[in-house]
């Protein structure tokens, strides 16, 4: 009986191992056969997809080295454009990504740099929705379709469109009434499905002009035969303005010079043919990647309007703005746009929090490093900026709700004149190319102390030379005038703001 009891044996394990190996070999052969069955176009597509996927990863890494403090934003944007970039053949309507944030947080810069790294800068159009756009002075630029056509963006081909300062394109006034909007009225059709209707008014004008031409031709003075012969010999039959309208409306590929030579009868035939062909009426921009960028101050309550605040810690604003959600975006948009328009913006909204203190410190260090490198490239002197100088730049450059622009301006104001004067002084003292100069703050004064040590053969014992240079630290003087009592009141006031916003956020999350 014991012999009949099943027991695993080494032979059975070996047999099982061989079966698994045979199954794996069979599966590999099957996969190989499947690969062999794929057409060259399918294999090429797989290779292109893999290459583009790797390219996106490299672009994300590059953006994170250039744009400090927005790593999470970059990851979300890269994720949003992945399908559009890797498999554009699947895209049947525009991919819309909305970027909302305080001023100076890098929204527009991210879209421009992304377009460059993707290799789309020749198919990149930026429209300022307040009406001051690139190509805004060109004919037809009062519409999105005219702007895209003027920029040379070909329909049916992937491209990138940035609708910047979108908050200024409000269609609902602060009183809740409809606002009159004259420019870019076709933007909502573009955001819907990427299909834009033809400019029928231009077609009507062209037909009217053709009818007028025929009318006048029949009523020309028969005695003025010489004048008629001169007109018949004219090379150009229509002007450039009408030729451009005809080219855009009928989506013609011919150059303007050629179109200007067409006869009225031939143009009329083209108009009739175009009207009979309903399929060619719409202009197809469904392959576009559309970035909608703006500053929604209504979303950043108690933050965006405090442009003068240089006392509140940047981390406080960063924590408050990091809690904003899609619901906050929709609520803020409802104060500027109609519900059906908000729906056309989709649900892919990327929210920029205000910068943290650490981010501002990294920005300052990077900006100063680039500034110092520029001086080294020009005169060969290497300034080593002390941490105390960086701390003073932070104290006098950072307005937490205003982003990078005041910071860049302040770095230039504080360092430009003083370092140029220091370089001239060092060269007069005999400094050579490659010489390092230490830069620190003078105690209790708004001055930079620049020190350098000359070589032994030029100064006894390698003497250290130092010189002071005045720097404008305006905010220090303002803060020093503020009494301790006032600073205490300000701290309590800010704590109250934080408590109210935190409570409101928690209440908004309670299910009703």
């Amino acid at each position: 009986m014991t012999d009949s009891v099943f027991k695993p044996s080494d032979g059975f394990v070996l047999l099982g191992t061989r079966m698994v190996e045979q199954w794996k070999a069979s599966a590999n052969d099957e996969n190989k056969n499947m690969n062999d069955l794929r057409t060259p176009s399918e294999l090429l597509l797989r290779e292109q997809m893999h290459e583009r996927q790797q390219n996106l990863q490299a672009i994300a890494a590059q953006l994170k080295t250039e744009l400090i403090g927005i790593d999470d934003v970059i990851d979300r944007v890269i994720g949003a454009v992945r399908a559009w970039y890797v498999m554009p053949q699947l895209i049947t309507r525009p991919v819309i990504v909305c970027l909302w944030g305080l001023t100076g947080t890098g929204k527009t810069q991210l879209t421009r740099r992304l377009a460059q790294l993707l290799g789309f800068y020749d198919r990149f159009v930026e429209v300022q929705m307040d009406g001051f756009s690139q190509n805004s002075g060109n004919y037809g630029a009062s519409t999105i379709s005219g702007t895209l056509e003027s920029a040379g963006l070909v329909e049916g081909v992937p491209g990138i469109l940035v609708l910047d300062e979108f908050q200024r394109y409000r269609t609902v006034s602060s009183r809740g009434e409809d606002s009159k909007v004259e420019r870019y009225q076709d933007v909502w059709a573009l955001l819907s499905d990427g299909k834009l209707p033809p400019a029928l008014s231009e077609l009507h004008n062209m037909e009217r002009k053709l009818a007028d031409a025929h009318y006048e031709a029949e009523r020309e003075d028969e005695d003025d035969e010489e004048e008629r012969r001169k007109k018949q010999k004219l090379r150009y039959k229509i002007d450039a303005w009408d030729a451009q309208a005809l080219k855009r409306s009928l989506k013609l590929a011919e150059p303007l010079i050629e179109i200007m030579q067409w006869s009225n009868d031939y143009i009329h035939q083209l108009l009739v043919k175009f009207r009979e062909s309903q399929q060619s009426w719409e202009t197809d921009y469904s392959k576009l990647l559309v970035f909608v960028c703006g500053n929604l101050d209504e979303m950043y309550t108690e933050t965006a309007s405090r442009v003068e605040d240089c006392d509140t810690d940047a981390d406080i604003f960063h924590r408050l703005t990091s809690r904003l959600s899609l619901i906050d975006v929709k609520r803020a948009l409802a104060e500027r746009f109609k519900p059906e328009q908000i729906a056309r913006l989709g649900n892919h909204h990327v929210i920029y929090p205000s910068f943290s203190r650490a981010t501002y410190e990294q920005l300052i260090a990077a900006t100063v490093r680039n500034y110092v490198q520029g001086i080294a490239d020009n005169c060969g002197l290497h300034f080593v900026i002390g941490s105390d100088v960086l701390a003073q730049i932070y104290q006098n450059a950072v307005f937490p709700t205003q982003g990078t622009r005041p910071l860049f301006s302040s770095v230039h104001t504080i360092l430009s004149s003083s370092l140029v004067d220091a370089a001239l002084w060092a060269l007069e003292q005999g400094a050579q190319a490659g010489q390092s100069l230490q830069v620190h703050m003078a105690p209790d004064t708004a001055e930079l102390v620049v020190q350098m040590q000359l070589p032994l053969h030029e100064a006894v014992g390698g003497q250290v030379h130092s010189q002071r240079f005045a720097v404008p630290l305006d905010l220090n003087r303002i803060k020093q005038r503020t009494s301790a009592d006032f600073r205490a009141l300000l701290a309590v006031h800010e704590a109250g703001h934080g408590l109210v916003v935190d409570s409101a956020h928690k209440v908004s999350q309670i299910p009703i």
Side-chain angles (χ1 to χ4, degrees), residues 346-406:
N347 277 345
H348 207 121
H349 298 271
V350 180
I351 304 172
Y352 281 66
S354 64
F355 290 144
S356 65
R357 182 184 183 91
T359 297
Y360 276 116
E361 290 173 345
Q362 292 180 54
L363 285 167
I364 290 172
T367 305
V368 170
R369 185 166 53 249
N370 293 336
Y371 204 90
V372 168
Q373 185 60 48
I375 295 178
D377 293 341
N378 282 276
C379 66
L381 299 179
H382 297 277
F383 286 95
V384 180
I385 308 298
S387 59
D388 54 344
V389 178
L390 298 180
Q392 283 300 314
I393 292 177
Y394 182 95
Q395 293 297 327
N396 288 268
V398 173
F399 287 78
T401 66
Q402 291 197 291
T404 59
R405 294 187 182 97

Side-chain angles (χ1 to χ4, degrees), residues 136-347:
S136 61
N138 292 346
Y139 175 69
S142 61
T143 63
I144 293 294
S145 58
T147 302
L148 294 176
E149 191 270 339
S150 298
L153 211 61
V154 181
E155 66 170 302
V157 176
I160 299 177
L161 170 64
V162 176
L163 304 176
D164 206 1
E165 301 295 343
F166 201 80
Q167 78 281 358
R168 298 183 184 177
Y169 189 69
R170 65 186 309 162
T171 58
V172 176
S173 70
S174 57
R175 299 179 179 179
E177 302 172 351
D178 289 352
S179 294
K180 184 179 180 181
V181 178
E182 297 182 354
R183 302 177 69 89
Y184 310 132
Q185 294 184 18
D186 56 345
V187 68
W188 302 112
L190 177 73
L191 295 175
S192 177
D193 59 2
K195 306 293 180 64
L196 297 177
L200 295 179
S201 60
E202 291 184 354
L203 294 178
H204 293 325
N205 290 336
M206 185 63 64
E207 286 183 325
R208 181 185 56 78
K209 289 183 178 182
L210 290 175
D212 288 342
H214 287 296
Y215 180 84
E216 295 296 335
E218 289 185 353
R219 285 157 178 76
E220 286 182 348
D221 188 0
E222 297 180 358
D223 297 333
D224 197 0
E225 192 71 26
E226 183 66 22
E227 187 66 23
R228 288 210 310 274
R229 281 198 299 268
K230 287 182 180 180
K231 288 183 178 181
Q232 291 174 355
K233 293 181 180 180
L234 291 177
R235 182 180 180 184
Y236 299 108
K237 306 299 189 296
I238 60 174
D239 58 30
W241 185 276
D242 290 338
Q244 178 68 28
L246 189 66
K247 179 181 176 74
R248 178 173 56 254
S249 301
L250 304 189
K251 296 186 283 188
L252 301 172
E254 290 80 1
L256 287 182
I257 292 296
E258 180 178 341
I259 297 175
M260 292 169 63
Q261 301 178 45
W262 291 348
S263 66
N264 291 338
D265 291 335
Y266 182 66
I267 293 175
H268 183 261
Q269 293 176 12
L270 291 178
L271 289 174
V272 172
K273 183 178 179 180
F274 182 80
R275 286 189 175 279
E276 292 175 350
S277 177
Q278 296 290 334
Q279 293 82 3
S280 63
W281 276 45
E282 291 182 326
T283 302
D284 184 7
Y285 288 115
S286 59
K287 299 288 187 181
L288 284 181
L289 169 62
V290 182
F291 286 105
V292 177
C293 305
N295 309 327
L296 287 180
D297 292 348
E298 296 87 349
M299 184 171 63
Y300 295 88
T301 307
E302 292 294 331
T303 302
S305 61
R306 299 175 62 175
V307 296
E308 80 288 349
D309 193 336
C310 59
D311 293 296
T312 305
D313 192 343
D315 285 339
I316 294 177
F317 288 125
H318 177 71
R319 285 195 296 270
L320 293 176
T321 54
S322 295
R323 298 174 179 176
L324 296 172
S325 66
L326 175 63
I327 301 302
D328 298 300
V329 173
K330 298 276 189 178
R331 186 181 296 116
L333 288 172
E335 297 190 31
R336 292 177 177 267
F337 301 99
K338 301 174 182 177
E340 64 272 16
Q341 295 168 339
I342 298 173
R344 296 192 181 196
L345 293 175
N347 277 345

Side-chain angles (χ1 to χ4, degrees), residues 479-500:
K479 292 176 180 179
Q480 288 170 359
R481 291 203 303 265
T482 305
S483 66
D485 291 339
F486 179 79
R487 289 198 296 271
L489 290 173
L490 180 63
V492 174
H493 177 78
E494 296 305 326
H497 278 300
L499 180 61
V500 170

